[in-house]
Amino acid sequence: MLWFPTLSKSGFRSFIADNDEGSTGKWMVPIPVPDIGLIWEEIEDAAVEGRILAAKKSTHELVRIIGHNLACVYCSASDPDTVAETLRTLREIGVDGELKYKSDLATFDGREEYLYSSSEFETLLPRP
């Protein structure tokens, strides 16, 4: 098993549409080992409280393969507005650095490409 169960207040399920923007998707959030800043706890709390749609975290088996924890923070669709809003919440809870976004359609199709990079949205996000 590579992933712990998905956390969601709303009972999230992935949705695969016939295009990337209509499909659900996720911000890929690398988390160092150990998580000194405890960013996973912030993501977990946001999912349980409903501030983000859903999140899941890599298991120790995946950490051994990729060398760090990885969290997937889900969006209800992969359009720029929905994706930007979730990124805004991630920044508010303390997630920093460059992030990549992948649609669930791309995952389903086995494509390695990312739909967005967080740097594409930084000018839209409020400065702290």
Side-chain angles (χ1 to χ4, degrees), residues 55-98:
K56 69 181 178 183
K57 180 182 170 191
S58 56
T59 64
H60 299 297
E61 184 177 338
L62 184 55
V63 170
R64 280 192 293 277
I65 295 168
I66 63 176
H68 58 83
N69 282 303
L70 184 65
C72 293
V73 177
Y74 286 88
C75 297
S76 59
S78 297
D79 62 276
D81 291 338
T82 304
V83 169
E85 184 58 37
T86 301
L87 179 60
R88 179 177 291 112
T89 302
L90 288 171
R91 296 303 194 213
E92 288 171 357
I93 65 174
V95 175
D96 58 7
E98 182 68 17

Side-chain angles (χ1 to χ4, degrees), residues 35-57:
D35 183 11
I36 307 266
L38 302 176
I39 198 63
W40 170 246
E41 287 187 18
E42 295 295 331
I43 292 171
E44 182 180 44
D45 289 348
V48 170
E49 294 166 4
R51 292 186 291 149
I52 58 175
L53 179 63
K56 69 181 178 183
K57 180 182 170 191

